[in-house]
Amino acid sequence: MRETIQYDVVIVGAGPAGLSAAIRLKQLDPKTTVVVLEKGSEVGAHILSGAVLDPTGLSRLIPDWKSRGAPIKTEVSEDKFLLLGPAGSIRIPNFPMPPFMKNHGNYIVSMANVCRWLETVAEGLGVEIFPGMAVSDLVYDTEDKLKGVVAGEFGLNKDGSAGPNYEPGMELHGKYIFLAEGVRGSLSKRVIEKYQL
């Protein structure tokens, strides 16, 4: 039998989406209990390193991000578009590019560092964050609705059976479960298949 812990919201994945959701939930209602589970040994360990960040969403979430020491400093200074081929490259003019390809006002960042900074903001609001806590399964109620996740389960054999050092982990239940595990999320794939989303 697994230990069960109840939260208002359980978020799987401490990337920019999961952490932003946690921050916003606490901004809306500080009494909301929010937990974020991250499989990586630390927040940012499993995130794309370099990226171009459009700060629009961040500015809406945390308007004073610059004065709060966000690791977002290097503004994009120039866009170059090249057509690559066997003989080399040819520069393409910028003017025909669609607006989403223009990076004026954007920043070059390490998303791992941005996520680590978002972690400190979230924790400051009372979000519980557990790195090194992989989620291995989903928990459904009697009406087949998603009600939680299994986290911290160790010692499974490759076929999914319990091995000699098996630890059952715990169930984290929530009124809402957010799966923010990234583009290759195995839990999200299971939910999509189950509910034919």
Side-chain angles (χ1 to χ4, degrees):
M1 188 78 176
R2 292 186 178 102
E3 178 185 350
T4 301
I5 302 173
Q6 183 70 40
Y7 290 92
D8 291 320
V9 181
V10 177
I11 299 175
V12 179
L19 291 168
S20 295
I23 290 167
R24 187 65 183 137
L25 287 164
K26 292 298 270 188
Q27 288 173 338
L28 292 171
D29 184 358
K31 293 179 282 191
T32 301
T33 57
V34 180
V35 64
V36 179
L37 306 169
E38 169 56 41
K39 71 179 175 185
S41 59
E42 65 178 4
V43 171
H46 284 236
I47 195 81
L48 174 75
S49 181
V52 175
L53 174 73
D54 177 344
T56 305
L58 182 61
S59 294
R60 292 170 82 187
L61 181 67
I62 307 168
D64 59 344
W65 60 266
K66 286 183 183 180
S67 64
R68 292 179 74 170
I72 303 168
K73 312 279 186 219
T74 307
E75 288 190 56
V76 172
S77 59
E78 183 181 11
D79 283 327
K80 285 185 183 179
F81 297 96
L82 303 174
L83 179 62
L84 304 177
S89 64
I90 300 171
R91 183 157 184 202
I92 301 170
N94 290 12
F95 73 86
M97 295 298 156
F100 69 86
M101 302 270 306
K102 296 176 181 155
N103 289 303
H104 177 74
N106 293 344
Y107 292 81
I108 299 166
V109 299
S110 160
M111 281 311 293
N113 288 342
V114 171
C115 287
R116 284 190 272 276
W117 179 77
L118 287 171
E119 174 187 24
T120 64
V121 173
E123 286 178 333
L125 293 169
V127 175
E128 293 181 44
I129 301 174
F130 298 120
M133 188 68 72
V135 174
S136 56
D137 207 358
L138 302 166
V139 180
Y140 297 91
D141 66 14
T142 55
E143 296 175 9
D144 219 20
K145 294 179 185 170
L146 182 61
K147 73 172 184 177
V149 297
V150 176
E153 186 175 41
F154 297 103
L156 291 174
N157 294 320
K158 288 187 179 188
D159 66 359
S161 63
N165 299 319
Y166 177 71
E167 291 289 331
M170 65 180 88
E171 289 187 14
L172 291 98
H173 294 183
K175 295 174 188 169
Y176 298 96
I177 311 299
F178 287 9
L179 300 178
E181 54 183 341
V183 295
R184 291 186 181 88
S186 60
L187 300 174
S188 298
K189 286 179 184 173
R190 285 196 252 165
V191 169
I192 289 166
E193 187 177 326
K194 180 177 180 67
Y195 295 118
Q196 298 179 343
L197 300 175

